[in-house]
Amino acid sequence: MGLLVVAIDGPSGAGKSSTSRGVASRLGLRYLDTGAMYRALTWACRTRGVDVHDQQAVAAAVADVRLESGTDPLNPTIHVDDVDVSGPIREQDVTDHVSAVASVPQVRAQLVERQREIIGEGGIVVEGRDIGSTVWPDADVKVYLLADPAARATRRAAEQGGAVPVAATEADLARRDAIDSGRTASPLAKAPDAVVVDSTYLSLEEVIDSIVAMAVGS
Ligand code: DC
């Protein structure tokens, strides 16, 4: 498994994080959450008062941010300039603004370069939107993880402890999918050679089992 790279892409709420961490733990691989990297730069913009719709301002603000992503699947960490932002990046304010920041070409270029450095050390499961299509097209295993919108919203709402109604969560996921799929710089896209896994009617363990089997057979 030493240098294996497993790419897991797909829309929000399809179960990428739990699946990716589970696959990495089972195979003794590292884990990288690229969504957390976009969220961390969004947090940096918001705490600095940068207008996330001003692409030049966003690009300038994030150019010298020091981002550290820990790759232990049992304890993934993320720091911005030595501040632990693993909690704040999950807050609604970051969720509301992350698609705008992720659509800035300089942000993507900066993060894709960093992601390639981390992946290049090998032995890793990477989750995101553009890993198999853009970041690491040579990944040994490429999965596009889907679930139907109602299932995704139900799971996301449960993760939020029932604080947000399922219908509002479904609308928010649809809004983010539309922005993520419609942007010009590496949009959410299934790589032509990715294997589609639909998790709507599968348990987490069943999804993990199927991807572990692909990795072992690769
Ligand atoms: O997976 P997530 O919800 O934490 O991702 C947060 C946002 O980052 C999401 O709106 C899409 C964006 N993203 C991206 O554009 N490219 C990636 N490789 C990962 C996430």
Side-chain angles (χ1 to χ4, degrees):
M1 292 292 129
L3 294 176
L4 193 81
V5 177
V6 178
I8 302 185
D9 292 303
S12 311
K16 293 190 301 296
S17 294
S18 313
T19 301
S20 302
R21 292 174 64 175
V23 171
S25 299
R26 287 262 295 272
L27 295 174
L29 300 174
R30 296 178 301 142
Y31 160 71
L32 182 64
D33 176 0
T34 61
M37 300 171 85
Y38 288 95
R39 286 174 178 271
L41 292 189
T42 304
W43 177 87
C45 288
R46 295 291 292 162
T47 51
R48 287 161 200 195
V50 174
D51 174 3
V52 298
H53 301 292
D54 179 343
Q55 297 212 336
Q56 292 310 322
V58 169
V62 303
D64 58 355
V65 165
R66 248 181 325 112
L67 196 59
E68 275 303 321
S69 302
T71 56
D72 177 352
L74 299 178
N75 181 33
T77 56
I78 185 139
H79 290 81
V80 167
D81 294 331
D82 295 329
V83 177
D84 176 359
V85 294
S86 43
I89 63 167
R90 303 294 161 194
E91 285 173 8
Q92 193 62 41
D93 183 76
V94 168
T95 300
D96 288 344
H97 296 94
V98 63
S99 289
V101 172
S103 68
V104 177
Q106 293 94 327
V107 168
R108 301 206 71 82
Q110 183 175 331
L111 289 186
V112 168
E113 185 185 345
R114 185 83 194 94
Q115 289 157 13
R116 286 179 176 152
E117 284 169 12
I118 296 169
I119 298 168
E121 294 166 29
I124 194 161
V125 179
V126 189
E127 69 159 286
R129 303 291 190 290
D130 58 344
I131 309 307
S133 58
T134 303
V135 177
W136 208 262
D138 286 341
D140 303 278
V141 177
K142 292 188 195 180
V143 171
Y144 194 78
L145 189 62
L146 286 175
D148 77 29
R152 290 161 52 204
T154 304
R155 288 179 199 159
R156 231 342 116 88
E159 277 166 22
Q160 291 161 332
V164 183
V166 175
T169 305
E170 190 168 341
D172 180 54
L173 290 177
R175 178 188 68 82
R176 285 207 287 146
D177 285 352
I179 301 175
D180 293 340
S181 307
R183 66 170 174 249
T184 41
S186 62
L188 165 66
K190 182 184 106 50
D193 53 348
V195 176
V196 175
V197 174
D198 184 338
S199 72
T200 308
Y201 301 109
L202 298 175
S203 69
L204 175 60
E205 282 310 312
E206 288 171 321
V207 177
I208 293 171
D209 285 347
S210 70
I211 299 173
V212 166
M214 288 178 214
V216 169
S218 71

